Amino acid sequence: VTFEICGESQENVNAAESWIEDLILKEQFENIISDELIERFDERQIHTLDDLQRRKHVTIQIENRISPPQIKISGISRDVCFVSVKVQNMIQKLKNIEEERSKAELFYNLVEWRYAGSSDSFVAFDKLTNMQLEDAKIAKKSSLTVKINKKNYKVDLNSLQATDGQGKTISIQRMPKDEDLQSIELPKNWEDMQKQRVKLVDLKPSHQEYKVVQNKFGKTCPNFTIEKVKSY
């Protein structure tokens, strides 16, 4: 912006110039935003800052050498406020991504969701989809749409079946993990624990598990009682 000042005397021109400078200075504002995530800004965030700097006629300086890193925004107060809000939104978006990644990692350490692949094998979902499926189960949702091999499938969380738009259906598994982070395959003869952590199961002499234990104990111990205890 260029100002051309005319007056009856140099004194009047100088007074007008000082008055304009004071108005401009009163409108000048500076805001400093500090956050550790600023150092995570990549080319996309830097491009957005450059665009805001051009459009809003503000000065944006990034200081990554100090801790925590800072972004200094200078210019007319209303423009500085506008840009500051945009920068805060960018930082919040990065925080949300970091929190989602941490949550997905936590869920993956506790449970693994899988879908049926080729050759009767099951393939683990990516960690984000794994978290979304577990979230949906915890929220007692009946279904959730996910991507499998780049196609949308609607997962029935009750029947553990996933169906695409053409009606093709594949099986889904939910596998809890033990403390060693190894997936637990439930035995075929597993019975419902009915929300109990420890349960005594009546094992009949005709049961295959009873016979296996009886055969092994019979070799060294003539008198014994066989009971089955399950724990979760």
Side-chain angles (χ1 to χ4, degrees), residues 85-98:
V85 171
K86 292 293 184 182
V87 172
Q88 292 285 11
N89 290 341
M90 291 164 63
I91 293 172
Q92 186 60 48
K93 187 175 181 179
L94 286 177
K95 287 181 179 179
N96 293 340
I97 292 173
E98 289 291 319

Side-chain angles (χ1 to χ4, degrees), residues 174-213:
R174 177 185 179 273
M175 308 303 297
K177 294 183 176 182
D178 63 10
E179 294 179 356
D180 294 325
L181 307 182
Q182 300 296 318
S183 294
I184 302 172
E185 296 282 352
L186 295 179
K188 293 181 179 179
N189 53 11
W190 187 262
E191 298 178 36
D192 187 2
M193 293 288 292
Q194 298 177 344
K195 298 184 179 180
Q196 300 180 62
R197 295 192 65 84
V198 178
K199 183 178 181 182
L200 184 63
V201 179
D202 182 24
L203 213 56
K204 299 184 182 299
S206 59
H207 199 282
Q208 181 62 31
E209 283 184 289
Y210 187 100
K211 292 179 180 179
V212 170
V213 175

Side-chain angles (χ1 to χ4, degrees), residues 213-231:
V213 175
Q214 182 185 45
N215 181 53
K216 292 182 178 180
F217 268 85
K219 294 177 180 179
T220 57
C221 182
N223 299 312
F224 54 84
T225 300
I226 300 174
E227 291 182 331
K228 180 180 179 181
V229 178
K230 293 197 306 181
S231 64

Side-chain angles (χ1 to χ4, degrees), residues 59-119:
T59 300
I60 299 176
Q61 296 174 292
I62 302 178
E63 296 289 347
N64 278 326
R65 296 180 180 179
I66 58 178
S67 182
Q70 294 181 347
I71 291 179
K72 184 186 294 184
I73 307 164
S74 306
I76 301 299
S77 58
R78 65 175 181 273
D79 295 328
V80 170
C81 291
F82 177 87
V83 173
S84 296
V85 171
K86 292 293 184 182
V87 172
Q88 292 285 11
N89 290 341
M90 291 164 63
I91 293 172
Q92 186 60 48
K93 187 175 181 179
L94 286 177
K95 287 181 179 179
N96 293 340
I97 292 173
E98 289 291 319
E99 289 174 1
E100 192 170 58
R101 285 176 180 170
S102 297
K103 184 180 177 182
E105 190 68 35
L106 173 62
F107 273 114
Y108 191 73
N109 289 337
L110 299 174
V111 65
E112 183 176 277
W113 285 80
R114 305 170 177 173
Y115 61 91
S118 58
S119 304

